[in-house]
Amino acid sequence: AQSVTQLGSHVSVSEGALVLLRCNYSSSVPPYLFWYVQYPNQGLQLLLKYTTGATLVKGINGFEAEFKKSETSFHLTKPSAHMSDAAEYFCAVSAPGNTPLVFGKGTRLSVIA
Amino acid sequence: DAGVTQSPTHLIKTRGQQVTLRCSPKSGHDTVSWYQQALGQGPQFIFQYYEEEERQRGNFPDRFSGHQFPNYSSELNVNALLLGDSALYLCASSHYGTVNYGYTFGSGTRLTVV
């Protein structure tokens, strides 16, 4: 079975500050890992994904994440927060093959001017 | 390029009623997955359809059923609605066998059961 734990249901940062959203996963097989963003009253948009290869993954809107197998983590970062980054962020895990995504409970990011 | 389209966007139903939600996948996609997102929670997998058959199912009761049509569009049906069924229902499409490379999600249907 797979699971995801997102540490911190709400994170608040100042505009221009570093964004760090934490995600730890549990998987009995090599995981595929994803970060999605959800704006109010909208669906989910894929930010970035890790499947195989380079462990540092770059995504859209300046976000990146690093897969650390030894720490079972896949934290999301952005060097400088923008007001438009305020949204709900979800980490998800899957496994090789046709397996569904398992999502964490989400972290709400607030950006303060 | 049309993305995933879901209808309706909102609806209100009474306990015990039945509801049908609809989804048209992104052009070129052949697989549809449905997720339930309760308020303040992450999405939970309901089931997945490919070639008009249910391929995988999450931990949801038989009150939740679905269908996929030859044009790859899909319906989610929920019978005997409970208050706890109130949620955002998300449809996601993909190519079968490449689902691990990320789904394309629709904007969802907000279901309120009163």
Side-chain angles (χ1 to χ4, degrees):
Chain A
Q2 298 175 301
S3 65
V4 168
T5 301
Q6 292 185 240
L7 299 175
S9 59
H10 183 208
V11 171
S12 184
V13 301
S14 298
E15 190 174 20
L18 172 70
V19 175
L20 171 59
L21 304 182
R22 299 178 186 273
C23 171
N24 288 90
Y25 70 90
S26 173
S27 178
S28 57
V29 297
Y32 288 177
L33 295 159
F34 306 82
W35 276 100
Y36 281 86
V37 62
Q38 185 176 37
Y39 297 100
N41 300 314
Q42 294 191 24
L44 302 175
Q45 180 183 8
L46 180 65
L47 276 178
L48 49 79
K49 62 182 184 286
Y50 168 79
T51 53
T52 58
T55 57
L56 181 62
V57 179
K58 296 186 183 299
I60 62 172
N61 301 337
F63 285 94
E64 63 180 37
E66 186 171 11
F67 170 59
K68 292 186 176 181
K69 182 178 179 180
S70 61
E71 299 177 9
T72 61
S73 69
F74 191 58
H75 302 330
L76 182 70
T77 61
K78 182 175 180 177
S80 177
H82 191 272
M83 296 297 289
S84 61
D85 294 328
E88 190 87 18
Y89 291 79
F90 293 95
C91 181
V93 65
S94 183
N98 192 38
T99 55
L101 296 175
V102 175
F103 286 88
K105 292 187 176 182
T107 297
R108 181 163 60 93
L109 175 65
S110 297
V111 181
I112 303 169
Chain B
D1 179 23
V4 177
T5 304
Q6 292 188 242
S7 63
T9 55
H10 298 81
L11 74 166
I12 300 173
K13 290 287 189 178
T14 304
R15 275 182 301 173
Q17 285 188 318
Q18 179 265 344
V19 68
T20 297
L21 311 182
R22 295 176 176 81
C23 172
S24 293
K26 180 179 179 180
S27 178
H29 285 179
D30 56 14
T31 302
V32 172
S33 301
W34 287 92
Y35 283 78
Q36 180 196 66
Q37 185 180 13
L39 197 61
Q41 300 295 317
Q44 287 198 304
F45 175 70
I46 303 175
F47 43 54
Q48 180 191 84
Y49 276 83
Y50 170 67
E51 289 187 331
E52 303 179 47
E53 290 186 11
E54 183 182 294
R55 299 291 176 160
Q56 297 189 70
R57 189 179 183 92
N59 188 26
F60 279 80
D62 292 344
R63 297 187 298 109
F64 289 78
S65 63
H67 188 76
Q68 187 180 33
F69 300 92
N71 66 353
Y72 308 121
S73 66
S74 176
E75 290 182 347
L76 164 64
N77 301 293
V78 187
N79 295 322
L81 284 167
L82 304 174
L83 295 179
D85 295 331
S86 295
L88 179 67
Y89 288 85
L90 294 166
C91 171
S93 73
S94 60
H95 290 290
Y96 189 75
T98 66
V99 292
N100 294 326
Y101 289 85
Y103 297 161
T104 300
F105 281 85
S107 296
T109 295
R110 174 74 63 187
L111 172 64
T112 302
V113 182
V114 297

